[in-house]
Protein backbone atom coordinates (compact mmCIF):
# COMPACT_ATOMS: atom_id res chain seq x y z
CA UNK A 1 0.00 0.00 0.00
CA UNK A 2 1.32 3.43 -0.85
CA UNK A 3 2.19 5.43 2.24
CA UNK A 4 1.76 9.17 2.53
CA UNK A 5 3.98 11.50 4.53
CA UNK A 6 3.97 9.68 7.91
CA UNK A 7 4.21 12.76 10.11
CA UNK A 8 2.84 15.83 8.35
CA UNK A 9 2.71 18.76 10.74
CA UNK A 10 2.30 22.51 10.45
CA UNK A 11 5.56 24.01 9.26
CA UNK A 12 7.83 25.24 12.03
CA UNK A 13 8.74 28.90 12.28
CA UNK A 14 11.84 29.57 10.13
CA UNK A 15 15.04 30.83 11.73
CA UNK A 16 17.13 32.11 8.84
CA UNK A 17 16.38 35.30 6.93
CA UNK A 18 15.85 33.56 3.56
CA UNK A 19 13.29 31.18 5.03
CA UNK A 20 11.52 34.01 6.82
CA UNK A 21 11.36 35.93 3.55
CA UNK A 22 9.94 32.94 1.68
CA UNK A 23 7.30 32.45 4.38
CA UNK A 24 6.38 36.11 4.24
CA UNK A 25 6.00 35.93 0.45
CA UNK A 26 3.87 32.81 0.81
CA UNK A 27 1.69 34.46 3.41
CA UNK A 28 1.23 37.50 1.18
CA UNK A 29 0.29 35.27 -1.77
CA UNK A 30 -2.06 33.27 0.45
CA UNK A 31 -3.85 36.38 1.72
CA UNK A 32 -4.05 37.93 -1.73
CA UNK A 33 -5.63 34.84 -3.30
CA UNK A 34 -8.20 34.58 -0.50
CA UNK A 35 -9.01 38.27 -0.81
CA UNK A 36 -9.55 38.01 -4.58
CA UNK A 37 -11.67 34.88 -4.17
CA UNK A 38 -13.90 36.68 -1.69
CA UNK A 39 -14.26 39.64 -4.06
CA UNK A 40 -14.87 37.64 -7.24
CA UNK A 41 -16.66 34.40 -6.39
CA UNK A 42 -20.36 34.00 -5.75
CA UNK A 43 -21.98 33.92 -2.34
CA UNK A 44 -22.68 30.22 -2.99
CA UNK A 45 -19.12 29.19 -2.12
CA UNK A 46 -19.12 26.91 0.92
CA UNK A 47 -15.96 25.11 2.02
CA UNK A 48 -13.84 28.16 1.30
CA UNK A 49 -15.64 30.11 4.00
CA UNK A 50 -14.81 27.70 6.80
CA UNK A 51 -11.40 26.60 5.47
CA UNK A 52 -9.38 29.71 4.58
CA UNK A 53 -6.45 27.84 3.09
CA UNK A 54 -4.84 27.96 -0.36
CA UNK A 55 -3.62 24.45 -1.29
CA UNK A 56 -0.56 24.41 -3.54
CA UNK A 57 0.73 20.85 -3.07
CA UNK A 58 -0.84 17.62 -1.84
CA UNK A 59 0.01 13.96 -1.42
CA UNK A 60 -2.05 11.28 0.27
CA UNK A 61 -3.54 12.68 3.46
CA UNK A 62 -1.43 15.84 3.41
CA UNK A 63 -2.13 19.27 1.95
CA UNK A 64 0.37 22.12 1.96
CA UNK A 65 -0.93 25.66 1.76
CA UNK A 66 0.57 28.71 0.02
CA UNK A 67 1.55 29.99 3.47
CA UNK A 68 3.73 26.91 4.06
CA UNK A 69 1.46 25.19 6.59
CA UNK A 70 0.66 21.50 6.28
CA UNK A 71 -2.68 19.90 7.08
CA UNK A 72 -4.10 16.42 7.51
CA UNK A 73 -7.05 16.34 5.12
CA UNK A 74 -10.02 14.42 6.53
CA UNK A 75 -12.41 16.02 4.07
CA UNK A 76 -10.92 14.24 1.02
CA UNK A 77 -12.92 16.19 -1.52
CA UNK A 78 -16.14 15.33 0.37
CA UNK A 79 -15.25 11.66 -0.01
CA UNK A 80 -13.98 11.84 -3.59
CA UNK A 81 -10.35 10.94 -2.86
CA UNK A 82 -10.47 7.25 -1.98
CA UNK A 83 -6.68 7.05 -2.42
CA UNK A 84 -5.95 10.53 -1.16
CA UNK A 85 -4.32 13.31 -3.12
CA UNK A 86 -2.19 12.51 -6.18
CA UNK A 87 -1.82 8.79 -5.58
CA UNK A 88 0.91 7.33 -7.85
CA UNK A 89 -1.41 4.85 -9.59
CA UNK A 90 -3.85 7.65 -10.42
CA UNK A 91 -1.12 9.95 -11.74
CA UNK A 92 0.34 7.09 -13.80
CA UNK A 93 -3.06 6.36 -15.35
CA UNK A 94 -3.61 10.00 -16.26
CA UNK A 95 -0.12 10.37 -17.73
CA UNK A 96 -0.66 7.19 -19.73
CA UNK A 97 -3.65 8.70 -21.51
CA UNK A 98 -1.92 12.04 -22.04
CA UNK A 99 1.22 10.41 -23.42
CA UNK A 100 -0.71 8.05 -25.71
CA UNK A 101 -2.11 10.80 -27.90
CA UNK A 102 -5.66 9.51 -27.32
CA UNK A 103 -8.48 12.07 -27.68
CA UNK A 104 -9.55 13.60 -24.38
CA UNK A 105 -13.08 14.41 -25.54
CA UNK A 106 -15.15 11.80 -27.37
CA UNK A 107 -18.79 12.37 -26.30
CA UNK A 108 -20.11 8.84 -25.69
CA UNK A 109 -18.04 6.99 -28.30
CA UNK A 110 -16.41 3.69 -27.36
CA UNK A 111 -12.70 3.87 -26.47
CA UNK A 112 -10.20 1.43 -24.95
CA UNK A 113 -10.06 3.63 -21.83
CA UNK A 114 -13.84 3.56 -21.44
CA UNK A 115 -13.94 -0.20 -22.01
CA UNK A 116 -11.29 -0.77 -19.33
CA UNK A 117 -13.20 1.42 -16.85
CA UNK A 118 -16.50 -0.35 -17.50
CA UNK A 119 -14.89 -3.78 -17.18
CA UNK A 120 -13.32 -2.88 -13.83
CA UNK A 121 -16.55 -1.30 -12.58
CA UNK A 122 -18.60 -4.41 -13.43
CA UNK A 123 -15.99 -6.56 -11.68
CA UNK A 124 -16.76 -4.80 -8.39
CA UNK A 125 -20.56 -4.65 -8.57
CA UNK A 126 -22.81 -6.88 -6.44
CA UNK A 127 -23.00 -10.14 -8.44
CA UNK A 128 -26.78 -10.08 -8.59
CA UNK A 129 -26.58 -6.77 -10.43
CA UNK A 130 -23.40 -7.18 -12.49
CA UNK A 131 -24.68 -10.23 -14.34
CA UNK A 132 -27.55 -8.30 -15.88
CA UNK A 133 -26.52 -4.66 -15.63
CA UNK A 134 -26.43 -1.68 -17.96
CA UNK A 135 -24.37 1.45 -17.35
CA UNK A 136 -25.38 4.99 -18.22
CA UNK A 137 -22.63 7.61 -18.36
CA UNK A 138 -24.01 10.91 -17.14
CA UNK A 139 -22.73 14.43 -16.75
CA UNK A 140 -19.71 14.91 -14.50
CA UNK A 141 -21.47 15.40 -11.13
CA UNK A 142 -23.25 12.98 -8.85
CA UNK A 143 -26.39 15.08 -8.91
CA UNK A 144 -26.69 14.51 -12.67
CA UNK A 145 -26.55 10.77 -12.08
CA UNK A 146 -29.35 11.13 -9.52
CA UNK A 147 -31.40 13.01 -12.13
CA UNK A 148 -30.75 10.21 -14.61
CA UNK A 149 -31.85 7.57 -12.09
CA UNK A 150 -35.09 9.39 -11.32
CA UNK A 151 -35.84 9.87 -15.02
CA UNK A 152 -35.06 6.22 -15.72
CA UNK A 153 -37.44 4.72 -13.16
CA UNK A 154 -40.19 7.13 -14.21
CA UNK A 155 -39.73 6.14 -17.84
CA UNK A 156 -39.59 2.43 -17.02
CA UNK A 157 -42.64 2.35 -14.74
CA UNK A 158 -44.81 5.06 -16.30
CA UNK A 159 -45.29 6.47 -12.82
CA UNK A 160 -44.14 9.81 -11.42
CA UNK A 161 -44.10 9.83 -7.61
CA UNK A 162 -41.01 9.05 -5.53
CA UNK A 163 -40.25 7.70 -2.08
CA UNK A 164 -37.38 9.39 -0.26
CA UNK A 165 -36.24 9.72 3.33
CA UNK A 166 -35.94 12.39 5.97
CA UNK A 167 -32.37 13.65 6.24
CA UNK A 168 -31.52 12.64 2.67
CA UNK A 169 -29.09 14.50 0.44
CA UNK A 170 -28.94 13.62 -3.26
CA UNK A 171 -27.45 16.69 -4.93
CA UNK A 172 -28.09 20.31 -5.90
CA UNK A 173 -30.05 20.13 -9.16
CA UNK A 174 -33.84 20.52 -9.06
CA UNK A 175 -34.83 16.85 -9.15
CA UNK A 176 -32.11 15.78 -6.73
CA UNK A 177 -33.01 18.57 -4.32
CA UNK A 178 -36.67 17.56 -4.53
CA UNK A 179 -35.71 14.12 -3.18
CA UNK A 180 -33.47 15.60 -0.46
CA UNK A 181 -34.46 16.36 3.11
CA UNK A 182 -34.93 20.11 2.83
CA UNK A 183 -37.27 20.13 -0.18
CA UNK A 184 -40.68 21.81 -0.24
CA UNK A 185 -43.67 21.63 -2.60
CA UNK A 186 -42.62 18.48 -4.46
CA UNK A 187 -44.15 15.14 -5.46
CA UNK A 188 -42.04 13.12 -3.06
CA UNK A 189 -43.33 11.11 -0.11
CA UNK A 190 -41.13 11.44 2.98
CA UNK A 191 -40.39 8.29 4.92
CA UNK A 192 -38.65 7.98 8.31
CA UNK A 193 -34.97 7.07 8.09
CA UNK A 194 -33.99 5.01 11.14
CA UNK A 195 -31.39 6.39 13.47
CA UNK A 196 -30.48 5.60 17.02
CA UNK A 197 -29.51 8.84 18.75
CA UNK A 198 -32.40 10.93 17.39
CA UNK A 199 -34.84 8.16 16.56
CA UNK A 200 -37.96 9.56 14.83
CA UNK A 201 -40.05 7.32 17.10
CA UNK A 202 -38.12 8.08 20.26
CA UNK A 203 -37.04 4.51 20.99
CA UNK A 204 -33.87 3.89 18.97
CA UNK A 205 -32.18 0.60 18.18
CA UNK A 206 -33.80 -2.32 16.34
CA UNK A 207 -37.23 -1.36 17.65
CA UNK A 208 -36.97 2.10 16.11
CA UNK A 209 -35.86 0.62 12.78
CA UNK A 210 -38.75 -1.85 12.88
CA UNK A 211 -41.22 0.99 13.48
CA UNK A 212 -39.75 2.92 10.53
CA UNK A 213 -40.13 -0.10 8.26
CA UNK A 214 -43.67 -0.74 9.46
CA UNK A 215 -44.60 2.89 8.80
CA UNK A 216 -43.32 2.57 5.23
CA UNK A 217 -45.18 -0.66 4.56
CA UNK A 218 -48.40 0.62 6.09
CA UNK A 219 -48.28 3.85 4.11
CA UNK A 220 -47.82 2.05 0.80
CA UNK A 221 -50.66 -0.39 1.49
CA UNK A 222 -53.12 2.18 2.82
CA UNK A 223 -55.52 3.01 -0.03
CA UNK A 224 -56.39 6.29 1.71
CA UNK A 225 -52.82 7.37 2.45
CA UNK A 226 -52.69 9.64 -0.58
CA UNK A 227 -49.59 7.86 -1.86
CA UNK A 228 -50.16 6.24 -5.25
CA UNK A 229 -47.72 3.56 -6.36
CA UNK A 230 -44.44 5.43 -6.91
CA UNK A 231 -41.89 5.22 -9.68
CA UNK A 232 -39.09 4.38 -7.27
CA UNK A 233 -37.54 4.60 -3.82
CA UNK A 234 -34.19 6.36 -3.41
CA UNK A 235 -32.05 5.99 -0.30
CA UNK A 236 -28.49 6.34 0.98
CA UNK A 237 -27.09 3.22 2.72
CA UNK A 238 -25.33 5.72 5.00
CA UNK A 239 -26.68 9.25 5.13
CA UNK A 240 -23.69 11.53 4.76
CA UNK A 241 -24.82 15.15 4.79
CA UNK A 242 -27.73 14.03 6.99
CA UNK A 243 -25.25 13.44 9.81
CA UNK A 244 -23.36 10.18 9.06
CA UNK A 245 -26.23 7.83 9.87
CA UNK A 246 -25.75 4.20 8.77
CA UNK A 247 -28.89 2.34 7.78
CA UNK A 248 -29.37 -0.86 9.82
CA UNK A 249 -28.75 -3.87 7.61
CA UNK A 250 -32.04 -5.52 8.59
CA UNK A 251 -33.97 -2.34 7.77
CA UNK A 252 -32.26 -2.06 4.39
CA UNK A 253 -33.18 -5.65 3.60
CA UNK A 254 -36.75 -4.84 4.63
CA UNK A 255 -36.80 -1.89 2.21
CA UNK A 256 -35.62 -4.24 -0.54
CA UNK A 257 -38.40 -6.70 0.30
CA UNK A 258 -41.08 -3.99 0.48
CA UNK A 259 -40.11 -2.49 -2.87
CA UNK A 260 -39.64 -5.81 -4.59
CA UNK A 261 -43.05 -7.07 -3.49
CA UNK A 262 -44.70 -3.93 -4.86
CA UNK A 263 -42.70 -3.64 -8.11
CA UNK A 264 -41.06 -0.40 -6.99
CA UNK A 265 -37.49 0.06 -8.28
CA UNK A 266 -35.00 0.60 -5.45
CA UNK A 267 -32.30 3.23 -6.10
CA UNK A 268 -29.19 3.14 -3.90
CA UNK A 269 -27.33 6.45 -3.84
CA UNK A 270 -23.70 5.33 -3.38
CA UNK A 271 -22.15 8.62 -4.48
CA UNK A 272 -20.37 9.10 -1.15
CA UNK A 273 -20.46 5.58 0.30
CA UNK A 274 -18.99 3.66 -2.64
CA UNK A 275 -15.53 2.28 -3.44
CA UNK A 276 -14.65 0.88 -0.02
CA UNK A 277 -15.54 3.92 2.07
CA UNK A 278 -17.81 2.09 4.55
CA UNK A 279 -15.76 -1.09 4.93
CA UNK A 280 -17.34 -2.90 1.98
CA UNK A 281 -16.78 -2.09 -1.67
CA UNK A 282 -20.36 -0.81 -1.90
CA UNK A 283 -22.32 0.04 1.22
CA UNK A 284 -25.23 -2.18 0.13
CA UNK A 285 -22.86 -5.14 0.32
CA UNK A 286 -23.07 -5.06 4.14
CA UNK A 287 -26.72 -6.07 3.99
CA UNK A 288 -26.57 -8.26 0.91
CA UNK A 289 -29.12 -6.03 -0.79
CA UNK A 290 -29.04 -5.81 -4.59
CA UNK A 291 -30.75 -2.59 -5.69
CA UNK A 292 -32.33 -2.05 -9.09
CA UNK A 293 -30.30 1.12 -9.67
CA UNK A 294 -27.00 2.31 -8.21
CA UNK A 295 -25.96 5.95 -8.43
CA UNK A 296 -22.17 6.34 -8.49
CA UNK A 297 -19.81 9.30 -8.57
CA UNK A 298 -17.06 10.91 -6.44
CA UNK A 299 -14.45 8.16 -5.87
CA UNK A 300 -15.21 6.29 -9.11
CA UNK A 301 -13.46 9.09 -11.05
CA UNK A 302 -10.23 8.76 -9.08
CA UNK A 303 -10.40 12.48 -8.10
CA UNK A 304 -11.70 13.66 -11.51
CA UNK A 305 -15.34 14.37 -12.47
CA UNK A 306 -17.27 11.23 -13.40
CA UNK A 307 -20.79 9.98 -12.66
CA UNK A 308 -22.74 6.93 -13.80
CA UNK A 309 -25.80 4.92 -12.98
CA UNK A 310 -25.81 1.14 -13.15
CA UNK A 311 -29.19 -0.58 -13.38
CA UNK A 312 -30.97 -3.83 -14.20
CA UNK A 313 -31.38 -4.44 -17.90
CA UNK A 314 -35.17 -4.69 -17.67
CA UNK A 315 -35.22 -0.95 -16.86
CA UNK A 316 -33.26 -0.08 -19.99
CA UNK A 317 -36.07 1.71 -21.83
CA UNK A 318 -34.16 4.85 -22.83
CA UNK A 319 -34.73 6.11 -26.36
CA UNK A 320 -31.47 7.43 -27.88
CA UNK A 321 -30.52 10.77 -26.35
CA UNK A 322 -33.06 10.51 -23.51
CA UNK A 323 -30.36 11.49 -21.03
CA UNK A 324 -27.36 12.92 -22.82
CA UNK A 325 -24.49 15.24 -21.91
CA UNK A 326 -21.48 16.75 -23.60
CA UNK A 327 -19.01 15.52 -20.98
CA UNK A 328 -20.08 11.88 -20.67
CA UNK A 329 -16.77 10.65 -22.09
CA UNK A 330 -14.17 12.09 -19.70
CA UNK A 331 -11.20 9.91 -20.67
CA UNK A 332 -8.87 11.12 -17.94
CA UNK A 333 -11.50 10.46 -15.27
CA UNK A 334 -12.20 7.00 -16.65
CA UNK A 335 -8.52 6.13 -16.59
CA UNK A 336 -8.08 7.50 -13.06
CA UNK A 337 -11.27 5.77 -11.98
CA UNK A 338 -10.30 2.38 -13.37
CA UNK A 339 -6.95 2.63 -11.60
CA UNK A 340 -8.65 3.58 -8.33
CA UNK A 341 -11.24 0.80 -8.51
CA UNK A 342 -8.56 -1.78 -9.27
CA UNK A 343 -6.25 -0.56 -6.49
CA UNK A 344 -8.99 -0.60 -3.87
CA UNK A 345 -10.08 -4.09 -4.97
CA UNK A 346 -6.61 -5.62 -5.29
CA UNK A 347 -5.37 -4.23 -1.97
CA UNK A 348 -8.64 -4.96 -0.12
CA UNK A 349 -8.81 -1.39 1.14
CA UNK A 350 -12.47 -1.89 2.09
CA UNK A 351 -11.43 -4.39 4.78
CA UNK A 352 -8.72 -1.99 5.87
CA UNK A 353 -11.33 0.79 6.18
CA UNK A 354 -13.53 -1.48 8.29
CA UNK A 355 -10.71 -2.35 10.70
CA UNK A 356 -9.25 1.13 11.05
CA UNK A 357 -12.67 2.77 11.16
CA UNK A 358 -13.77 0.52 14.04
CA UNK A 359 -10.60 1.43 15.94
CA UNK A 360 -11.15 5.16 15.40
CA UNK A 361 -14.78 4.83 16.53
CA UNK A 362 -13.60 3.14 19.74
CA UNK A 363 -11.13 5.98 20.36
CA UNK A 364 -13.78 8.62 19.70
CA UNK A 365 -16.22 6.86 22.03
CA UNK A 366 -13.54 7.04 24.72
CA UNK A 367 -13.32 10.80 24.11
CA UNK A 368 -17.11 11.04 24.46
CA UNK A 369 -16.75 9.92 28.07
CA UNK A 370 -14.29 12.76 28.66
CA UNK A 371 -16.19 15.56 26.93
CA UNK A 372 -19.88 15.87 27.85
CA UNK A 373 -20.66 17.90 24.75
CA UNK A 374 -20.03 14.85 22.54
CA UNK A 375 -23.54 13.50 22.19
CA UNK A 376 -23.02 10.63 19.80
CA UNK A 377 -20.27 8.89 17.83
CA UNK A 378 -21.32 6.90 14.79
CA UNK A 379 -20.28 5.77 11.35
CA UNK A 380 -19.20 2.86 9.24
CA UNK A 381 -15.69 2.21 7.99
CA UNK A 382 -13.92 5.48 7.29
CA UNK A 383 -17.15 7.47 7.16
CA UNK A 384 -17.36 8.81 10.70
CA UNK A 385 -19.44 11.43 12.47
CA UNK A 386 -19.29 12.99 15.94
CA UNK A 387 -22.45 14.84 16.94
CA UNK A 388 -21.87 17.72 19.32
CA UNK A 389 -24.58 18.81 21.72
CA UNK A 390 -25.27 21.38 24.38
CA UNK A 391 -24.17 19.84 27.69
CA UNK A 392 -26.71 22.11 29.42
CA UNK A 393 -30.10 21.57 27.70
CA UNK A 394 -31.70 24.30 29.82
CA UNK A 395 -29.71 26.90 27.88
CA UNK A 396 -31.90 26.40 24.78
CA UNK A 397 -30.67 26.14 21.21
CA UNK A 398 -31.76 24.85 17.83
CA UNK A 399 -33.19 21.75 19.51
CA UNK A 400 -34.08 23.12 22.91
CA UNK A 401 -35.42 20.49 25.29
CA UNK A 402 -35.86 17.03 23.88
CA UNK A 403 -34.96 15.74 20.46
CA UNK A 404 -36.74 17.39 17.56
CA UNK A 405 -37.66 13.88 16.50
CA UNK A 406 -39.95 13.54 19.49
CA UNK A 407 -41.87 16.78 19.12
CA UNK A 408 -45.49 17.17 18.12
CA UNK A 409 -47.25 19.98 16.33
CA UNK A 410 -50.63 18.33 16.03
CA UNK A 411 -53.41 17.28 18.38
CA UNK A 412 -52.86 13.93 20.07
CA UNK A 413 -54.90 10.96 19.07
CA UNK A 414 -55.72 8.11 21.41
CA UNK A 415 -54.02 4.87 20.52
CA UNK A 416 -54.30 1.37 21.94
CA UNK A 417 -53.89 0.49 25.61
CA UNK A 418 -55.00 3.92 26.80
CA UNK A 419 -51.94 5.64 25.34
CA UNK A 420 -51.89 8.99 23.60
CA UNK A 421 -49.66 8.88 20.55
CA UNK A 422 -47.95 12.01 19.24
CA UNK A 423 -46.31 12.40 15.86
CA UNK A 424 -42.85 10.94 16.27
CA UNK A 425 -44.11 8.18 18.56
CA UNK A 426 -43.61 9.81 21.99
CA UNK A 427 -46.27 7.97 24.00
CA UNK A 428 -47.78 9.56 27.12
CA UNK A 429 -50.10 7.60 29.41
CA UNK A 430 -53.62 8.91 28.91
CA UNK A 431 -54.15 9.43 32.64
CA UNK A 432 -51.27 11.93 32.65
CA UNK A 433 -53.09 14.32 30.31
CA UNK A 434 -55.59 17.00 31.21
CA UNK A 435 -58.76 17.76 29.23
CA UNK A 436 -56.78 19.74 26.64
CA UNK A 437 -54.22 17.00 26.13
CA UNK A 438 -51.44 18.69 28.16
CA UNK A 439 -49.08 16.62 30.26
CA UNK A 440 -49.98 17.43 33.85
CA UNK A 441 -46.72 15.90 35.12
CA UNK A 442 -44.68 18.76 33.71
CA UNK A 443 -44.83 22.32 34.97
CA UNK A 444 -43.03 23.66 31.91
CA UNK A 445 -45.70 22.83 29.35
CA UNK A 446 -44.52 25.92 27.50
CA UNK A 447 -47.36 28.39 27.61
CA UNK A 448 -50.12 25.91 26.90
CA UNK A 449 -48.44 24.17 23.94
CA UNK A 450 -48.71 20.43 23.80
CA UNK A 451 -46.05 18.61 25.77
CA UNK A 452 -43.19 18.00 23.35
CA UNK A 453 -40.88 15.84 25.46
CA UNK A 454 -41.01 12.15 26.23
CA UNK A 455 -42.66 10.54 29.25
CA UNK A 456 -40.78 9.75 32.42
CA UNK A 457 -38.68 6.71 31.59
CA UNK A 458 -39.41 5.14 34.96
CA UNK A 459 -43.12 5.16 34.05
CA UNK A 460 -42.86 4.03 30.45
CA UNK A 461 -40.56 1.07 29.69
CA UNK A 462 -40.79 1.76 25.94
CA UNK A 463 -38.18 4.51 26.35
CA UNK A 464 -36.20 3.03 29.22
CA UNK A 465 -33.13 2.24 27.10
CA UNK A 466 -33.18 5.38 24.97
CA UNK A 467 -32.53 8.57 26.96
CA UNK A 468 -33.58 11.83 25.37
CA UNK A 469 -30.83 13.35 23.20
CA UNK A 470 -29.58 16.80 24.08
CA UNK A 471 -29.95 19.89 21.86
CA UNK A 472 -27.68 20.07 18.83
CA UNK A 473 -24.84 22.57 19.20
CA UNK A 474 -23.76 24.00 15.83
CA UNK A 475 -21.82 26.79 17.55
CA UNK A 476 -19.70 24.29 19.45
CA UNK A 477 -19.24 22.23 16.29
CA UNK A 478 -18.02 25.28 14.39
CA UNK A 479 -15.59 26.07 17.18
CA UNK A 480 -14.23 22.50 17.07
CA UNK A 481 -13.79 22.68 13.30
CA UNK A 482 -11.86 25.96 13.67
CA UNK A 483 -9.75 24.54 16.48
CA UNK A 484 -8.93 21.53 14.30
CA UNK A 485 -7.79 23.79 11.47
CA UNK A 486 -5.52 25.69 13.87
CA UNK A 487 -3.93 22.34 14.71
CA UNK A 488 -3.45 21.32 11.10
CA UNK A 489 -6.51 19.08 10.72
CA UNK A 490 -9.18 19.63 8.06
CA UNK A 491 -12.68 18.46 8.97
CA UNK A 492 -16.13 19.62 7.97
CA UNK A 493 -19.60 19.69 9.47
CA UNK A 494 -22.86 17.99 8.51
CA UNK A 495 -26.11 16.89 10.05
CA UNK A 496 -29.47 18.54 10.49
CA UNK A 497 -28.07 21.52 12.37
CA UNK A 498 -24.46 21.41 11.13
CA UNK A 499 -23.52 19.95 14.50
CA UNK A 500 -21.79 16.77 13.31
CA UNK A 501 -18.02 16.81 12.84
CA UNK A 502 -17.33 14.54 9.89
CA UNK A 503 -14.22 12.48 9.15
CA UNK A 504 -13.67 11.17 5.61
CA UNK A 505 -9.96 10.32 5.45
CA UNK A 506 -8.54 8.49 2.40
CA UNK A 507 -8.56 4.70 2.53
CA UNK A 508 -4.76 4.77 2.35
CA UNK A 509 -4.40 6.50 5.74
CA UNK A 510 -1.73 4.82 7.86
CA UNK A 511 -2.07 3.79 11.50
CA UNK A 512 0.30 6.60 12.49
CA UNK A 513 -1.72 9.16 10.58
CA UNK A 514 -4.97 7.91 12.07
CA UNK A 515 -3.47 8.32 15.54
CA UNK A 516 -2.39 11.86 14.63
CA UNK A 517 -5.93 12.68 13.46
CA UNK A 518 -7.44 11.46 16.75
CA UNK A 519 -4.77 13.30 18.77
CA UNK A 520 -5.43 16.61 17.01
CA UNK A 521 -9.18 16.17 17.28
CA UNK A 522 -8.88 15.39 20.99
CA UNK A 523 -6.72 18.49 21.46
CA UNK A 524 -9.34 20.57 19.65
CA UNK A 525 -12.10 19.14 21.86
CA UNK A 526 -10.09 20.03 24.95
CA UNK A 527 -9.36 23.55 23.72
CA UNK A 528 -13.05 24.24 23.03
CA UNK A 529 -14.01 22.79 26.41
CA UNK A 530 -11.58 25.18 28.11
CA UNK A 531 -12.51 28.32 26.19
CA UNK A 532 -16.26 27.70 26.44
CA UNK A 533 -16.20 26.30 29.97
CA UNK A 534 -17.92 23.10 28.88
CA UNK A 535 -17.78 20.59 31.67
Amino acid sequence: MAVTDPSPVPAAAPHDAAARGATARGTTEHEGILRRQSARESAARTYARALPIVPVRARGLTIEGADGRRYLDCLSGAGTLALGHNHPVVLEAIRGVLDSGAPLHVLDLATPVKDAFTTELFRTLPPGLAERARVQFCGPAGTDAVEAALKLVRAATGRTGLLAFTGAYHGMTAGALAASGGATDVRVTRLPYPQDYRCPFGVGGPRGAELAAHWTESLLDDTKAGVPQPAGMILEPVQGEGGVIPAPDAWLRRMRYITEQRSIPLIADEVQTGVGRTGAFWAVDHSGVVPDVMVLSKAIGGSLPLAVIVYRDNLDVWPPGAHAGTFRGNQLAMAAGAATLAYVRENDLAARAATLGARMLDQLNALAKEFPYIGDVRGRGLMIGVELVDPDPSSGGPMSGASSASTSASLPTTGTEGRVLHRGGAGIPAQSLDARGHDVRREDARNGDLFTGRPDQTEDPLFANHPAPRPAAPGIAGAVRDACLERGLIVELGGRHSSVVRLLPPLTITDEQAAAVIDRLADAFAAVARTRHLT
Side-chain angles (χ1 to χ4, degrees):
M1 181 186 303
V3 178
T4 55
D5 181 358
S7 56
V9 295
H15 298 289
D16 61 274
R20 285 196 299 271
T23 299
R25 288 191 297 274
T27 300
T28 300
E29 178 187 17
H30 163 93
E31 293 173 348
I33 290 173
L34 290 179
R35 185 173 58 253
R36 287 187 291 275
Q37 181 187 42
S38 179
R40 295 169 176 170
E41 281 195 31
S42 79
R45 66 189 187 281
T46 53
Y47 299 109
R49 295 178 184 275
L51 304 171
I53 62 177
V54 180
V56 293
R57 279 174 293 278
R59 183 66 174 262
L61 182 70
T62 308
I63 286 179
E64 183 178 336
D67 59 356
R69 293 200 68 201
R70 288 185 178 180
Y71 302 86
L72 303 182
D73 180 12
C74 281
L75 179 57
S76 297
T80 299
L81 304 172
L83 304 184
H85 294 276
N86 293 329
H87 193 280
V89 302
V90 172
L91 296 182
E92 181 181 0
I94 293 172
R95 289 192 188 103
V97 176
L98 292 174
D99 293 344
S100 72
L104 300 183
H105 190 288
V106 293
L107 296 171
D108 67 347
L109 300 179
T111 70
V113 173
K114 184 177 184 178
D115 184 61
F117 170 80
T118 304
T119 299
E120 184 59 43
L121 175 63
F122 273 50
R123 185 176 287 131
T124 69
L125 292 174
L129 180 60
E131 62 195 22
R132 49 173 299 190
R134 294 290 184 270
V135 60
Q136 165 77 28
F137 288 86
C138 308
T143 188
D144 189 68
V146 170
E147 297 284 351
L150 301 184
K151 287 172 60 177
L152 175 69
V153 296
R154 283 171 169 151
T157 63
R159 305 189 289 263
T160 58
L162 293 170
L163 302 174
F165 290 86
T166 54
Y169 177 76
H170 297 293
M172 294 301 294
T173 52
L177 278 174
S180 298
T184 59
D185 191 28
V186 293
R187 294 177 299 167
V188 176
T189 299
R190 300 286 158 195
L191 300 171
Y193 193 94
Q195 53 176 307
D196 196 10
Y197 188 62
R198 299 193 186 279
C199 174
F201 299 97
V203 296
R207 180 57 175 156
E210 169 61 28
L211 289 171
H214 180 74
W215 173 269
T216 298
E217 199 162 19
S218 175
L219 192 71
L220 291 175
D221 292 343
D222 185 350
T223 58
K224 296 296 184 181
V227 182
Q229 189 175 26
M233 172 190 284
I234 184 168
L235 57 77
E236 299 158 274
V238 181
Q239 286 194 342
E241 302 303 320
V244 192
I245 303 173
D249 290 338
W251 175 85
L252 196 54
R253 287 191 289 270
R254 183 77 169 272
M255 291 303 101
R256 173 68 285 188
Y257 175 80
I258 289 171
T259 54
E260 198 167 47
Q261 291 298 303
R262 292 159 182 80
S263 299
I264 301 170
L266 178 63
I267 305 168
D269 183 341
E270 291 254 16
V271 168
Q272 194 166 104
T273 55
V275 194
R277 169 62 56 188
T278 68
F281 207 99
W282 307 107
V284 293
D285 292 341
H286 292 289
S287 61
V289 162
V290 179
D292 300 292
V293 185
M294 290 178 66
V295 181
L296 313 176
S297 188
K298 290 191 185 294
I300 67 161
S303 77
L304 299 180
L306 187 64
V308 306
I309 58 172
V310 180
Y311 52 90
R312 293 185 184 275
D313 54 9
N314 64 306
L315 297 175
D316 195 27
V317 299
W318 293 119
H323 193 81
T326 303
F327 294 100
R328 288 175 288 167
N330 189 334
Q331 298 294 283
L332 294 182
M334 290 177 186
T340 297
L341 292 169
Y343 192 88
V344 171
R345 177 179 57 81
E346 291 167 0
N347 291 276
D348 201 9
L349 293 192
R352 164 71 176 166
T355 300
L356 185 54
R359 185 189 312 160
M360 294 176 74
L361 284 171
D362 287 343
Q363 294 167 332
L364 290 168
N365 275 308
L367 290 176
K369 298 176 182 178
E370 182 178 350
F371 300 104
Y373 66 86
I374 297 179
D376 193 37
V377 175
R378 54 186 180 254
R380 199 157 203 176
L382 289 175
M383 190 172 182
I384 297 170
V386 182
E387 182 167 351
L388 305 185
V389 298
D390 188 342
D392 180 13
S394 64
S395 65
M399 298 182 68
S400 180
S403 163
S404 64
S406 61
T407 61
S408 174
S410 59
L411 290 173
T413 57
T414 303
T416 60
E417 301 178 1
R419 184 173 307 283
V420 171
L421 300 179
H422 289 263
R423 185 181 61 179
I428 303 172
Q431 64 269 24
S432 299
L433 301 173
D434 64 18
R436 294 185 299 162
H438 298 160
D439 184 5
V440 297
R441 299 171 301 167
R442 290 283 299 269
E443 296 179 358
D444 57 345
R446 295 208 257 184
N447 300 321
D449 291 339
L450 292 176
F451 172 54
T452 59
R454 63 183 66 224
D456 189 318
Q457 293 168 9
T458 62
E459 299 180 20
D460 194 330
L462 181 64
F463 302 100
N465 296 317
H466 191 73
R470 287 168 285 166
I476 296 175
V480 168
R481 177 190 59 198
D482 295 345
C484 285
L485 193 64
E486 292 172 2
R487 288 157 178 77
L489 176 63
I490 298 173
V491 299
E492 248 301 358
L493 307 181
R496 266 56 162 197
H497 299 277
S498 296
S499 61
V500 178
V501 176
R502 301 188 59 197
L503 299 176
L504 291 164
L507 309 188
T508 52
I509 184 174
T510 66
D511 289 348
E512 294 79 9
Q513 290 171 334
V517 167
I518 297 297
D519 287 346
R520 295 185 192 192
L521 187 55
D523 196 37
F525 284 146
V528 171
R530 287 193 303 269
T531 57
R532 292 187 170 234
H533 308 290
L534 301 172
T535 58

